[in-house]
Amino acid sequence: MEILQRRSTTAQVWGAAEEFIRLFHRETPGAGDPRTRLAAVRAELAESGTYRHTPQELVHGARVAWRNSNRCIGRLYWNSLRVRDRRGLTDSDAIAAECFEHLREATNGGRVRPTITVFAPDTPQSPGPLIWSEQLVRYAGYGDHHSVTVGDARNAPLTEALLRLGWPGGAGTPFDLLPLVVQGVDDKPRWFDTPADAVLEVPIRHPDGDDGDGDGWADWGLRWHAVPAISNMCLEIGGVHYPAAPFNGWYMGTEIGARNLADADRYNLLPAVGRRLGLDTSSDRSLWKDRALVELNRAVLHSFDRAEVTIADHHTESRRFLTHLEREERRGRDVGADWSWIVPPISGSATPVFHRTYEDRQVSPAYVHHPGAQDRAQGRDLV
Ligand code: ARG
């Protein structure tokens, strides 16, 4: 099934709707023959130019969209996604409040639960609401390329736009929570302070120095948030677009240890880790970066474990992904995947997902990036 663009004709929406309704009935035990439902959808479409998913269709659609996410290694548990149906909400303040409640429920005291909250869809009358922030939890980045950035350099443009808009700024630490930026229907984007009680964070320590903290990792003050919740992708199900539908899984350690904290255009911590470990950072051939990466990743996994917060390691998650492939094959379904995203950013060849190829076909239901999502995430034209 092809992914349908926003602003499609009724005929295109009908084509996508028909395929989805058939898929839903095929995959849902007891759903029976799709003919009655198809006739109802067809009539609703002719009348209003759109149609409403039943709660069961919404749940299955959101789960299958996860199943179809070719960049995600964590899809084994696609069928257990928790779906919070908030389709009645169109205003930014109500949406922000539900996003924060999403975080609390998904965090679940550390036993992270994959969760999605679905807000109002696009309709022929009006586009749906939008969340500009790329994730529900983001750390501020102060400064730009002319000066040293404090915090997450990725979020420096959004931080600057928010400051111009009147956000007073945080304490100036490397891990200040940014407000959430939400644009309600028929409204301009607004920012909402992230309540501290909605965000669980994990202090990062290294296992070798943890008792008594001989090596000073605790004083270093590194931390990361427990729940990755993508908030600027559009959920497309059967020709209906839900532009505000934040969703989360749990972290795989390498996302934090080999990317967020390590990338040169993020926290760029490898030189500091290397020095802390007493490595020879004067030559690439000492492999100090590689060694620093491994130790930083050990620290991330150790710290989440110590805090009893769910996190996967890349070896386990790779094996689970192969289990997922087998399971889906047994059910007669093809699994699309994007090798360059599935293979972990460290030790790729030590995981089984490296040693094979995948087809990267995009099918619907799906989570898609709409044009402009990147610009909005950077706060472009926010003021
Ligand atoms: N890589 C992103 C981050 O580090 C999160 C992407 C989604 N990850 C996930 N485990 N569901 O914040």
Side-chain angles (χ1 to χ4, degrees), residues 66 72-73 135 137-138 224-225 227-230 247-252 254-256 259-260 266 341:
W66 183 8
C72 177
I73 192 174
Q135 286 193 30
V137 182
R138 293 282 75 180
W224 203 258
H225 54 92
V227 176
I230 306 284
F247 58 85
N248 74 276
W250 51 72
Y251 263 117
M252 182 163 87
T254 55
E255 298 183 84
I256 302 167
R259 303 298 311 280
N260 303 345
R266 299 292 300 281
W341 277 69

Side-chain angles (χ1 to χ4, degrees), residues 5-175:
Q5 299 302 306
R6 273 169 115 180
R7 300 173 173 282
S8 309
T9 64
T10 306
Q12 287 171 318
V13 176
W14 167 243
E18 183 178 7
E19 271 196 76
F20 170 67
I21 298 298
R22 289 188 190 285
L23 174 143
F24 173 78
H25 282 258
R26 220 172 31 246
E27 297 189 347
T28 307
D33 187 283
R35 270 176 296 187
T36 318
R37 178 62 181 144
L38 282 171
V41 167
R42 180 159 216 162
E44 199 180 340
L45 253 173
E47 161 97 21
S48 69
T50 187
Y51 69 103
R52 262 186 72 84
H53 290 126
T54 65
Q56 295 81 358
E57 287 164 2
L58 182 72
V59 169
H60 194 62
R63 289 175 174 171
V64 174
W66 183 8
R67 188 174 86 197
N68 288 337
S69 296
N70 288 3
R71 293 172 164 185
C72 177
I73 192 174
R75 287 178 270 168
L76 179 61
Y77 305 111
W78 66 271
N79 207 17
S80 63
L81 178 67
R82 297 171 70 250
V83 180
R84 303 174 72 239
D85 183 354
R86 299 293 183 276
R87 287 178 288 171
L89 300 185
T90 54
D91 291 349
S92 54
D93 47 358
I95 289 170
E98 277 302 326
C99 286
F100 299 137
E101 193 49 32
H102 172 132
L103 279 175
R104 293 184 190 98
E105 288 181 18
T107 304
N108 190 30
R111 277 190 59 117
V112 177
R113 296 185 285 203
T115 303
I116 184 170
T117 303
V118 184
F119 296 109
D122 286 346
T123 65
Q125 286 73 44
S126 139
L130 275 179
I131 300 171
W132 283 39
S133 314
E134 67 172 351
Q135 286 193 30
L136 298 183
V137 182
R138 293 282 75 180
Y139 292 123
Y142 304 101
D144 51 42
H145 10 273
H146 306 295
S147 59
V148 178
T149 305
V150 172
D152 195 341
R154 182 183 179 95
N155 304 321
L158 177 61
T159 306
E160 207 190 303
L162 281 164
L163 289 167
R164 278 202 310 265
L165 206 63
W167 178 56
T173 76
F175 300 98

